[in-house]
């Protein structure tokens, strides 16, 4: 359970950012959409990086060691990228639920 500890400062920052956006007139849905899109793009970037590094590591093994033809499965890549983006969006929604549940005045007083 190492992941929640580093995310604590970011959680407070997201709560303050959400409170400021609420004060400026953003609706809860707009804020949630912005955070979900941000986390989805991060998930997509992580998936693309994983695919690129995995392909770079697998190519020499497949072509030089096993001496076979290199084939790239684009359907699997698309599924992987969609999955990482979806998981990123879900993580973003869960991470911002706490930030959006607090009233702006109480959040800004704590800051």
């Amino acid at each position: 359970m190492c992941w929640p500890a580093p995310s604590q400062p970011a959680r407070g920052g997201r709560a303050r950012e959400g409170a400021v956006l609420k004060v400026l007139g953003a609706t809860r849905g707009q804020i949630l959409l912005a955070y979900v899109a941000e986390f989805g793009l991060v998930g997509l970037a992580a998936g693309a990086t994983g695919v690129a590094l995995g392909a770079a590591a697998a190519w020499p093994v497949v072509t030089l060691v096993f001496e076979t033809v290199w084939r790239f499965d684009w359907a699997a890549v698309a599924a992987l990228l969609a999955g990482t983006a979806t998981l990123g969006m879900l993580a973003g929604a869960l991470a911002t639920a706490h930030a959006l549940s607090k009233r702006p005045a109480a959040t800004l007083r704590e800051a």
Side-chain angles (χ1 to χ4, degrees):
M1 296 304 286
C2 298
W3 179 70
S7 69
Q8 292 302 322
R11 176 188 255 185
R14 294 231 180 253
R16 284 188 296 279
E17 185 178 73
V20 170
L21 290 172
K22 283 180 186 177
V23 168
L24 293 175
T27 65
R28 183 179 175 156
Q30 289 171 327
I31 298 168
L32 183 63
L33 180 64
Y35 286 149
V36 166
E38 177 186 348
F39 278 92
L41 287 174
V42 169
L44 186 64
T49 302
V51 166
L53 292 175
W59 179 82
V61 172
V62 170
T63 58
L64 301 176
V65 175
F66 296 135
E67 298 177 353
T68 61
V69 177
W70 172 256
R71 292 193 181 118
F72 204 74
D73 187 6
W74 290 104
V77 170
L80 179 87
L81 293 177
T84 57
T86 302
L87 285 174
M89 288 182 208
L90 289 173
L94 290 173
T96 58
H98 174 71
L100 294 177
S101 67
K102 298 175 99 180
R103 296 233 181 248
T107 302
L108 294 175
R109 264 194 302 262
E110 292 172 7

